[in-house]
């Protein structure tokens, strides 16, 4: 096979060798199955197709200087998938089954874990879908859990450079008491139109406001939002954002670096007082923000003029990636080394 150009990968799908599957049928989860097939044979009345009964996850595996493969916080993703299942009445997958499937699929596709120093990683995408047929709006009685992997580079093509984001008040991603806290496809479908508009105008993402009042910052398209001022890490508290595992980790890192952490509502006007701002997520890692344009209000909040990330964003980024690639000690117990 032709050697891949690991350091110039974007964030996209590439065929790898195997994916791992597990079926829920007759009231129980079966054994893990391995396949090379990239397709699924699905009933045309499956609930995932008609009623959006599907949830997914995203996590990464990193190759260290020592050649070892490290998977980041996989238990957190297993628990969040269970939370998503409860949100749309899908059968919950046991945490151990999730971990077993993730480790198995990474091991089977070991070749695709990018080398240390390339800046790339292996993206792991678990998916759980309702496969049972229903025509009435009801949960399925059969499910498929699947994990695929694909090697990736940075989500935003600029990598660790600042990019601009935009507030578009005519669009919401999730309702205040809707499905925003779970990782279901419908939220991403709702973000396609505003996301495309933002990209057309040269922005890397939409910064959503709370849907009820449009007074508070919610999150960015595929990532949580944080702002920095007075040695304080500030991130939104909201009933319509995804509880990001990266954000949870950055909160711990910020505290360990002696910063104050505040998780609370962030009024839009407060954006003017931040010294730095960024997006964070598995795919986004930390993507620092250069500028936020509030289109309808004709206002801009500027954090960087030269594309350079702020000092604290950089420190947090280096610490997080250091742990993920194994350059820094795993003092919080976040990493699983693949045997
Ligand atoms: N918010 C949204 C809407 C996301 O899709 C993601 C990505 O998973 C995140 C936030 C970041 O979450 P995490 O850090 O767990 O990847
Ligand atoms: C992730 O960061 O894992 C995501 O799921 C974001 C995006 C690719 C949907």
């Amino acid at each position: 096979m032709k050697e891949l150009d690991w350091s110039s990968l974007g964030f996209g799908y590439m065929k790898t060798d195997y994916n791992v599957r597990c079926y829920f049928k007759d009231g129980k989860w079966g054994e893990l199955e391995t396949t090379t097939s990239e397709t699924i044979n699905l009933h045309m009345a499956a609930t995932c197709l008609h009623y959006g009964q599907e949830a997914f996850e995203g996590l990464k595996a990193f190759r260290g200087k020592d050649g070892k493969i490290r998977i980041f916080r996989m238990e957190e993703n297993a628990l969040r998938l269970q939370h998503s299942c409860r949100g749309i009445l899908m059968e919950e997958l046991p945490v151990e089954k999730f971990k077993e499937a993730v480790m198995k699929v990474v091991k089977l596709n070991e070749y695709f874990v990018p080398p240390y120093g390339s800046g790339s990683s292996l993206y792991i995408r678990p998916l759980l879908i309702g496969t049972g047929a229903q025509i009435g709006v009801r949960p399925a009685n059969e499910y498929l859990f699947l994990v695929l992997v694909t090697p990736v580079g940075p989500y935003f093509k600029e990598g660790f450079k600042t990019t601009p984001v935009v507030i578009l008040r005519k669009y919401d991603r999730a309702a205040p008491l809707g499905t925003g806290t779970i990782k279901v496809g419908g939220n991403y479908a709702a973000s396609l139109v505003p996301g495309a508009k933002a990209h057309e105008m040269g922005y890397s993402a939409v910064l959503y406001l709370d849907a009820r009042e449009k007074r508070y910052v919610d999150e960015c398209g595929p990532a949580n939002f944080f702002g920095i001022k007075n040695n304080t890490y500030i991130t939104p508290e909201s009933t319509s954002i995804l509880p990001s595992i990266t954000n949870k980790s950055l909160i711990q890192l910020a505290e360990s670096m002696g910063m104050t952490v505040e998780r609370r509502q962030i009024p839009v006007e407060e954006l003017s007082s931040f010294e730095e701002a960024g997006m964070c997520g598995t795919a986004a890692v930390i993507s620092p923000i250069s500028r936020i344009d509030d289109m309808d209000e004709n206002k801009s909040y500027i954090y960087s003029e030269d594309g350079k990330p702020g000092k604290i964003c950089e420190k947090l980024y280096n610490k997080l990636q250091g742990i993920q690639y194994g350059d820094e000690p795993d003092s919080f117990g976040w990493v699983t080394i693949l045997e």
Side-chain angles (χ1 to χ4, degrees), residues 159-310:
F160 190 57
K161 294 234 179 68
T162 63
T163 60
V165 303
V166 64
I167 297 173
L168 298 172
R169 289 159 187 267
K170 293 190 184 65
Y171 299 93
D172 293 321
R173 171 190 167 272
L177 299 174
T179 55
T181 65
I182 60 177
K183 203 160 168 61
V184 295
N187 297 337
Y188 298 83
S191 76
L192 289 174
V193 168
K197 284 205 185 309
H199 291 149
E200 261 168 44
M201 294 188 290
Y203 297 99
S204 58
V206 176
L207 177 61
Y208 293 96
L209 302 183
D210 78 284
R212 187 184 283 122
E213 294 185 86
K214 305 270 172 189
R215 275 190 61 199
Y216 302 103
V217 175
D218 243 2
E219 67 179 324
C220 295
N224 273 184
F225 174 86
F226 65 86
I228 308 277
K229 65 176 171 189
N230 308 326
N231 203 34
T232 306
Y233 180 98
I234 305 163
T235 194
E237 172 94 68
S238 162
T239 56
S240 49
I241 66 177
L242 193 75
S244 156
I245 296 159
T246 313
N247 200 3
K248 189 174 173 178
S249 311
L250 293 176
I251 285 172
Q252 278 182 267
L253 290 178
E255 279 169 347
S256 76
M257 283 160 41
M259 294 178 69
T260 306
V261 170
E262 294 176 8
R263 195 196 271 276
R264 58 165 170 82
Q265 287 184 314
I266 301 180
V268 185
E269 316 79 73
E270 193 178 347
L271 292 175
S272 64
S273 66
F274 290 140
E275 296 150 15
E276 298 179 34
M279 307 180 254
C280 64
T282 298
V285 194
I286 289 181
S287 298
I289 297 172
S290 56
R291 193 175 83 239
I292 301 171
D293 288 344
D294 189 341
M295 275 285 152
D296 312 285
E297 300 283 299
N298 228 348
K299 274 197 187 138
S300 289
Y301 306 95
I302 297 169
Y303 306 107
S304 166
E305 308 261 18
D306 57 4
K308 280 210 196 99

Side-chain angles (χ1 to χ4, degrees), residues 29 55-57 74-99 128 145 181-184:
W29 287 102
F56 69 98
E57 271 304 325
M74 123 178 102
E75 180 148 338
E76 292 288 331
N77 294 89
L79 292 169
R80 190 170 64 188
L81 181 62
Q82 291 189 330
H83 169 65
S84 295
C85 286
R86 291 192 290 276
I88 54 170
L89 294 184
M90 297 202 291
E91 208 51 53
E92 281 179 46
L93 183 83
V95 169
E96 283 313 311
K97 193 74 119 186
F98 181 99
K99 291 187 349 192
L128 202 155
F145 172 66
T181 65
I182 60 177
K183 203 160 168 61
V184 295

